[in-house]
Amino acid sequence: DVKVTQSSRYLVKRTGEKVFLECVQDMDHENMFWYRQDPGLGLRLIYFSYDVKMKEKGDIPEGYSVSREKKERFSLILESASTNQTSMYLCASSPNYNQPQHFGDGTRLSIL
Amino acid sequence: AQKITQTQPGMFVQEKEAVTLDCTYDTSDPSYGLFWYKQPSSGEMIFLIYQGSYDQQNATEGRYSLNFQKARKSANLVISASQLGDSAMYFCAMREVLYSGANSKLTFGKGITLSVRP
């Protein structure tokens, strides 16, 4: 089975902090994705990557950056956390565009 | 621009009955794919079923089937013989092929909450 692991299930940070959310997949997938999920808004794509060191902006990239130095790891970075970034963050991976994305368990991030 | 619409309010179904969850989409691309995911209260997203725009048959996976009506741009999920464990939020998503042609992203609907009554 595909395993997508997010480093933290729950995280509490303060406004202005630099926050790192880590995601690791064990199936050698090419594509990796970061979403945020908010009530009534569904999942919105922040950034994605289809190869090592490659990244593409999703629908809501402002305030975020990403890093993919190794194929299995995709990191989401909040450069200077703000309260409106309190949300559930979901990481996903897929081998190619015709295959379903496999998700991690999510990180509930609270910015105080 | 792509759009996925899930407009049903919270849905309720009696255990062992069938239920249909609606999804309509809007795209001008001839090639696209439609996915359904389930999200229980624990939070993980579970892939249920996939339908490609050129598939001739409606997709089925166990108790899940997809009622794909291309002309109407609808891709409704049908769950037969509902179980208590089916209580969850359900998301419809569409694959969008990007300019590179080799990569894609998913656009998700806002989800539907399903509650199964004993």
Side-chain angles (χ1 to χ4, degrees):
Chain A
D1 269 357
V2 177
K3 185 70 174 175
V4 179
T5 303
Q6 294 183 229
S7 53
S8 304
R9 198 72 199 270
Y10 300 92
L11 203 55
V12 180
K13 296 291 183 181
R14 297 213 172 270
T15 304
E17 279 192 70
K18 191 169 186 176
V19 180
F20 294 85
L21 302 184
E22 306 286 346
C23 176
V24 177
Q25 50 96 1
D26 66 357
M27 285 301 291
D28 203 37
H29 285 173
E30 302 291 333
N31 305 312
M32 295 189 75
F33 307 83
W34 274 107
Y35 296 89
R36 66 176 281 176
Q37 182 179 9
D38 301 287
L41 297 178
L43 276 73
R44 293 179 292 167
L45 182 64
I46 305 171
Y47 267 97
F48 62 102
S49 167
Y50 52 86
D51 202 353
V52 177
K53 297 191 186 294
M54 303 297 289
K55 60 184 179 183
E56 293 275 351
K57 291 181 180 179
D59 299 316
I60 51 165
E62 296 79 18
Y64 304 94
S65 62
V66 290
S67 172
R68 195 168 180 199
E69 296 296 319
K70 294 184 177 182
K71 193 174 187 180
E72 67 271 17
R73 185 179 297 270
F74 192 35
S75 303
L76 179 70
I77 303 156
L78 285 65
E79 297 291 344
S80 178
S82 64
T83 54
N84 63 11
Q85 292 178 309
T86 291
S87 186
M88 167 75 107
Y89 290 86
L90 291 159
C91 175
S93 72
S94 71
N96 60 59
Y97 67 88
N98 275 330
Q99 299 297 313
Q101 294 180 15
H102 298 267
F103 285 80
D105 288 342
T107 297
R108 290 194 182 275
L109 175 64
S110 295
I111 307 296
L112 304 179
Chain B
Q2 292 205 343
K3 187 177 177 183
I4 295 284
T5 303
Q6 296 180 264
T7 57
Q8 289 166 305
M11 293 285 289
F12 294 87
V13 66
Q14 206 66 31
E15 194 177 8
K16 300 181 184 176
E17 292 185 352
V19 62
T20 298
L21 306 181
D22 295 341
C23 173
T24 59
Y25 60 90
D26 184 23
T27 181
S28 55
D29 296 330
S31 175
Y32 52 91
L34 296 152
F35 298 80
W36 276 91
Y37 284 84
K38 171 185 177 182
Q39 188 180 42
S41 57
S42 51
E44 73 271 27
M45 293 284 285
I46 303 166
F47 165 71
L48 296 178
I49 197 166
Y50 168 77
Q51 178 86 43
S53 60
Y54 293 120
D55 293 343
Q56 296 297 314
Q57 305 285 336
N58 284 347
T60 61
E61 288 286 348
R63 294 186 299 110
Y64 304 108
S65 60
L66 206 151
N67 183 2
F68 181 48
Q69 298 188 39
K70 198 170 181 177
R72 297 179 61 184
K73 294 188 175 179
S74 73
N76 299 337
L77 177 71
V78 181
I79 305 174
S80 63
S82 297
Q83 302 172 355
L84 296 178
D86 293 335
S87 294
M89 180 161 281
Y90 289 80
F91 290 94
C92 178
M94 179 163 60
R95 169 178 56 81
E96 171 188 13
V97 178
L98 299 176
Y99 56 84
S100 66
N103 296 293
S104 67
K105 65 173 186 176
L106 290 183
T107 299
F108 283 81
K110 295 182 179 181
I112 302 168
T113 299
L114 175 67
S115 299
V116 181
R117 292 171 168 153

